[in-house]
Amino acid sequence: MKTTLEELQAFAAVVDAGSVTAAAGQLGQTVSGISRALARLEKKLETTLLRRTTRRIELTEEGQAFLVRARAILAAMDEAEEHLAARRRQPAGRLRVNAATPFMLHVVAPLVPAFRRAHPQIALELDTDELNIDLLERRTDVAIRIGALRDSTLHARPLGTSRLRVLASPAYLAEHGRPRAVADLARHTLLGFTQPESLNRWPLRGPHGDEWAATPGITASSGETLRQLALQGAGIVCLSDFMTAQDRTRGDLVQLLAKDTADVRQPLSAVYYRNTQLASRIVCFLDFLADRMARNAPR
């Protein structure tokens, strides 16, 4: 007897979900149905794929080898379905998007309603992370990267750039005064990133060149946390335009040292793995995101 797709889906789902019960919920099937599918699969292959204990499920060596092939078969089926959907001009399926919290909040999230109206058959799964993730390990379709790209194994699509500015709230300036020169920053509370250290090099001109090494008194891992701290008057910060444009328009944050600020722009890129033709759901998301970002870019 030949292995069926149902059995392969059950096997992969149990591995991904960590249990038969969770896999059954994920696939909308009964626990007994998933168990029977696994039993049939192991019987057909005449080998044990999973070791089951009361606490967890582990792959055998044979199971690990078979999982690679099973995923390739399931991916091929997904690709075939995507091709059919593309021919109907209605991309469908789950799209997993990862981005840093500020980009997700200020750029992606506001565009979701319009994207869903245009592509109702695409189910979005949005995930935030402040550090670069492994796309394969996290099963992510598209990740938005801010800054220079280092991973040469990824394909990338440029989405534009975003300028860096030094900012503070009117409340902070009223209490602590406005710095008139770069050297004045040493007397102020600076807000910076815990990592990477490169984000604490501000685009300020001086004898040091076009970069000035800030020594933060308060650090955080997320740019959104730093933005909120700056809005609350906790200190001076250097952030990208994509997350502060509205704050500056409303006057909630004010640019400092404009004449001393170099025009440094962070590249914004969408990255993805591409072993075969790119799925239509990914293409239409990237097209939509690039178009809306271009429309909203400062003139």
Side-chain angles (χ1 to χ4, degrees):
M1 292 186 293
K2 294 184 178 179
T3 299
T4 66
L5 281 175
E6 179 186 2
E7 291 161 353
L8 294 182
Q9 288 173 334
F11 173 54
V14 169
V15 173
D16 291 339
S19 72
V20 172
T21 301
Q26 188 179 89
L27 296 177
Q29 299 183 23
T30 63
V31 172
S32 59
I34 297 295
S35 295
R36 285 195 298 270
L38 286 176
R40 288 196 305 271
L41 181 59
E42 290 181 326
K43 183 177 180 181
K44 290 176 183 178
L45 297 174
E46 299 181 347
T47 189
T48 300
L49 300 174
L50 298 167
R51 295 191 190 94
R52 303 167 181 82
T53 69
T54 55
R55 292 189 175 182
R56 61 178 179 171
I57 290 178
E58 292 181 341
L59 281 167
T60 63
E61 185 175 346
E62 292 78 9
Q64 289 177 334
F66 186 74
L67 180 63
V68 175
R69 298 298 180 90
R71 288 203 192 282
I73 293 168
L74 293 172
M77 282 301 301
D78 285 343
E79 184 181 351
E81 293 174 356
E82 282 289 336
H83 279 299
L84 290 176
R87 292 184 67 172
R88 296 195 305 268
R89 296 179 181 271
Q90 292 185 10
R94 184 167 298 279
L95 179 65
R96 300 175 177 88
V97 181
N98 178 277
T101 302
F103 193 90
M104 189 69 77
L105 288 176
H106 297 283
V107 180
V108 177
L111 299 179
V112 166
F115 180 78
R116 287 283 294 156
R117 285 193 294 271
H119 304 285
Q121 296 188 37
I122 295 179
L124 282 174
E125 185 176 304
L126 305 178
D127 181 45
T128 57
D129 204 302
E130 307 313 318
L131 300 176
N132 290 349
I133 63 164
D134 185 311
L135 271 65
L136 288 179
E137 182 180 326
R138 295 280 286 274
R139 301 185 67 198
T140 296
D141 296 306
V142 178
I144 308 301
R145 297 279 170 86
I146 302 166
L149 298 177
R150 296 182 178 84
D151 193 339
S152 60
T153 65
L154 297 174
H155 294 265
R157 175 169 173 173
L159 297 174
T161 60
S162 185
R163 189 176 180 184
L164 290 166
R165 301 176 198 265
V166 178
L167 307 161
S169 70
Y172 176 87
L173 298 176
E175 182 176 354
H176 301 281
R178 188 185 189 107
R180 302 296 175 183
V182 176
D184 295 343
L185 291 174
R187 299 192 294 272
H188 287 267
T189 299
L190 307 184
L191 311 176
F193 290 85
T194 52
Q195 58 176 313
E197 184 58 33
S198 59
L199 293 178
N200 294 326
R201 293 197 290 270
W202 295 5
L204 296 173
R205 301 187 189 92
H208 45 270
D210 284 349
E211 281 189 346
W212 182 77
T215 304
I218 302 173
T219 58
S221 60
S222 169
E224 183 59 23
T225 301
L226 295 176
R227 171 179 169 268
Q228 291 295 332
L229 287 168
L231 288 169
Q232 297 301 318
I236 297 174
V237 71
C238 180
L239 293 174
S240 196
D241 278 358
F242 74 80
M243 74 173 86
T244 63
Q246 292 186 9
D247 299 326
R248 288 184 289 109
T249 299
R250 290 191 298 258
D252 296 334
L253 289 177
V254 178
Q255 183 176 1
L256 305 178
L257 303 169
K259 292 182 179 180
D260 298 309
T261 300
D263 188 356
V264 174
R265 298 171 185 267
Q266 292 180 311
L268 305 174
S269 309
V271 298
Y272 48 88
Y273 282 105
R274 183 175 181 175
N275 298 323
T276 57
Q277 182 174 348
L278 201 59
S280 58
R281 67 184 185 278
I282 299 177
V283 172
C284 71
F285 176 78
L286 294 180
D287 287 346
F288 184 91
L289 183 60
D291 175 67
R292 293 305 177 97
M293 288 181 62
R295 289 192 209 177
N296 299 333
R299 300 300 178 186

